[in-house]
Amino acid sequence: MTQFANWRKSSRSTQMQGQCVEIGFAPGRIGIRDTKLGESSPILDVDGAAFAAFVRRVQDDAFDI
């Protein structure tokens, strides 16, 4: 199991909305979890390249959300 460190909460997440996401870091990997559950949250474990591609698509407004 990958051990992630230096968890950072999304600047777009707010306590008021209850939609909080954090990312953690490990060599070559990014962990994504729901902050409401804290350390007991399931972690989506993706490789760094896939996460970077996802971020680029979000920045390019490629998703209809």
Side-chain angles (χ1 to χ4, degrees):
M1 175 185 238
T2 305
Q3 295 296 313
F4 296 98
N6 302 319
W7 288 94
R8 294 185 49 197
K9 184 177 173 182
S10 168
S11 62
R12 301 284 181 158
S13 295
T14 67
Q15 292 294 81
M16 298 288 293
Q17 295 173 333
Q19 299 174 351
C20 303
V21 174
E22 339 179 76
I23 60 171
F25 304 89
R29 310 295 302 167
I30 301 290
I32 305 164
R33 71 182 181 188
D34 182 342
T35 59
K36 290 185 295 298
L37 300 175
E39 303 230 352
S40 63
S41 175
I43 297 171
L44 177 62
D45 180 344
V46 298
D47 69 51
F51 186 75
F54 171 74
V55 170
R56 279 191 302 277
R57 302 248 359 240
V58 169
Q59 291 171 334
D60 291 342
D61 203 22
F63 300 107
D64 184 23
I65 53 175

